[in-house]
Amino acid sequence: MQTLGLARSLRGMGYSVRVLGPCDGAPPDVGITPLGKSLPTIYNGSMAPIAPDPACQLRTIRAIRDEAFDIIHLHEPLAPGPTTTALFTRPTPLIGTFHAAGTSVGYDLMPRASRFLASRLDYRTAVSKEARDMAYKALGGSYDLLYNGVDLSTFQVEMPTLKTPDSPTILFLGRHEPRKGLSVLLDAFSRLPDTVRLWVAGSGPETSNLRTGRSSSRKRSKNNYASRIEWLGTISDTEKIARFKSADVFCAPSLRGESFGIVLLEAMAAATVVVATDIPGYRSIATNDLNALLVPPQDSIALANALLKALTDKKLAGRLVAAGHEHVTRFSMDSLAERYLKIYTQTAGPITSYLTSYPGPKNRNGPEKS
């Protein structure tokens, strides 16, 4: 989503942008060249889609040749597939943005190959301090820190509320896997008053066990907690924004492995109170008692207390929302696009805009030329 959002902002500034990548269905946006289907791969405790097959690499080479790009921006450049193909062929200046934090089996198993491929990059950026530190430790080099961006305009659209007035509602959004901490949230939720409801969006390998309560060491029968949870499954971007704007609190109980908490910024953009765990990936963009409430990971009692406080203390909630709404403007996708454009021109020279004058970031209808 970061790649697509950045492409939309650059098009709005009048630049021709094309996104190359695997698609498992219809392209989700304009200006996308599908390179084939992806292969789901377990990475860093999560599932990452990659496309290492030869057919995808041949499509990549062909698309790069046909488009004759001025510059190519690689997101997670050492992931097997189109990005490493671009590194091998190096047809034009290359910018690499590193997103992952934690550990990398690929870096550990193939240190020389990883460093060689990284050396093909003309410029390196990272989306967080954790991502930068991991890349530097494995690959060396220097990295500009450019946080991920949020398309603020999508959160300014009026939407009908999806909850009843007398039901304080918490939203969870994420893959149902151990590192996301959903089991901790469910344990915390069982301690909350029976008027509180929980929306659980997403799916994953833990969904079945979480829904039946088999993954928790605590019996959650009190307060009829199961009837107060709505399991939403995978939701569209439009519904995601509507849920953010309708919920009273967004909860991110992750245990580890978060490079950058973009969902925290999305909640702030939607004027929703944020309750999250105090882990490095979240701490870099959220400050406890200033624009969010942060609690120790895996502490369901502390999480329950923070959730109850956010739901019942209206003065506190208003202060957190106001501070969060102001804070998120620093991470607008348009501002990020401006910063990347400076890097592009610094690396590849002037890049011609198809607009005679820049109309401002509100224009989202840039040309679709390659």
Side-chain angles (χ1 to χ4, degrees):
M1 297 308 295
Q2 284 296 302
T3 305
L4 297 180
L6 181 60
R8 285 192 292 268
S9 286
L10 289 167
R11 289 194 195 102
M13 296 162 62
Y15 293 91
S16 177
V17 182
R18 182 151 291 275
V19 177
L20 309 182
C23 289
D24 295 323
D29 205 347
V30 298
I32 295 178
T33 299
L35 300 176
K37 293 187 177 181
S38 66
L39 174 66
T41 304
I42 296 176
Y43 174 77
N44 196 25
S46 186
M47 193 68 68
I50 63 173
D53 57 289
C56 180
Q57 311 325 306
L58 290 174
R59 294 189 190 101
T60 301
I61 294 170
R62 185 175 185 178
I64 291 174
R65 181 199 64 194
D66 292 346
E67 298 287 354
F69 297 109
D70 294 310
I71 194 164
I72 298 177
H73 187 168
L74 307 176
H75 287 265
E76 208 58 77
L78 270 65
T83 54
T84 51
T85 297
L87 288 170
F88 273 116
T89 59
R90 202 171 182 271
T92 194
L94 302 176
I95 306 294
T97 294
F98 293 80
H99 293 258
T103 59
S104 170
V105 175
Y107 292 171
D108 294 339
L109 293 180
M110 297 181 292
R112 289 189 177 182
S114 297
R115 283 183 173 254
F116 166 74
L117 287 173
S119 72
R120 309 277 285 174
L121 291 167
D122 295 279
Y123 203 101
R124 309 183 196 189
T125 69
V127 302
S128 68
K129 294 177 182 178
E130 290 68 38
R132 181 188 61 191
D133 292 346
M134 176 177 138
Y136 175 77
K137 181 179 179 181
L139 308 171
S142 60
Y143 304 79
D144 269 6
L145 191 59
L146 271 71
Y147 292 118
N148 283 327
V150 179
D151 186 352
L152 299 180
S153 65
T154 61
F155 291 89
Q156 295 167 357
V157 179
E158 290 293 330
M159 292 186 176
T161 184
L162 300 179
K163 74 180 187 70
T164 57
D166 298 328
S167 298
T169 304
I170 301 165
L171 170 66
F172 170 89
L173 176 66
R175 184 169 165 78
H176 303 173
E177 58 193 12
R179 75 182 181 92
K180 291 294 184 179
L182 179 53
S183 63
V184 181
L185 172 57
L186 294 177
D187 198 44
F189 180 69
S190 72
R191 305 170 188 272
L192 299 180
D194 58 10
T195 55
V196 181
R197 299 189 64 81
L198 173 63
W199 289 333
V200 178
S203 61
E206 284 197 317
T207 303
S208 178
N209 286 344
L210 290 170
R211 292 193 68 164
T212 58
R214 292 197 298 268
S215 65
S216 176
S217 60
R218 183 175 187 265
K219 300 295 183 180
R220 303 195 210 96
S221 59
K222 63 177 293 187
N223 298 337
N224 194 22
Y225 97 101
S227 66
R228 297 185 286 116
I229 302 175
E230 187 174 353
W231 297 83
L232 305 173
T234 302
I235 59 178
S236 67
D237 288 340
T238 300
E239 183 179 352
K240 179 184 76 170
I241 294 171
R243 296 284 176 181
F244 268 128
K245 293 173 73 71
S246 299
D248 297 284
V249 173
F250 172 70
C251 183
S254 296
L255 309 182
R256 64 186 183 281
E258 299 291 350
S259 171
F260 185 87
I262 191 69
V263 287
L264 274 61
L265 293 178
E266 291 176 332
M268 292 177 187
T272 303
V273 180
V274 172
V275 175
T277 43
D278 191 3
I279 58 176
Y282 291 163
R283 200 184 309 128
S284 63
I285 58 169
T287 303
N288 183 45
D289 203 37
L290 176 62
N291 48 40
L293 294 180
L294 303 181
V295 301
Q298 253 175 343
D299 189 336
S300 60
I301 295 177
L303 183 59
N305 291 337
L307 290 169
L308 185 60
K309 190 175 181 181
L311 291 169
T312 58
D313 190 334
K314 300 304 179 184
K315 185 176 180 180
L316 171 66
R319 176 169 61 80
L320 294 175
V321 165
H325 207 256
E326 179 181 358
H327 180 62
V328 76
T329 59
R330 297 172 48 203
F331 299 89
S332 75
M333 189 63 77
D334 289 323
S335 297
L336 182 64
E338 293 274 11
R339 295 185 65 184
Y340 269 119
L341 183 60
K342 291 179 181 178
I343 294 173
Y344 298 160
T345 55
Q346 175 184 335
T347 306
I351 299 175
T352 304
S353 169
Y354 285 93
L355 300 179
T356 55
S357 62
Y358 174 34
K362 295 302 181 185
N363 179 10
R364 297 289 180 181
N365 299 313
E368 295 308 323
K369 295 182 182 179
S370 297

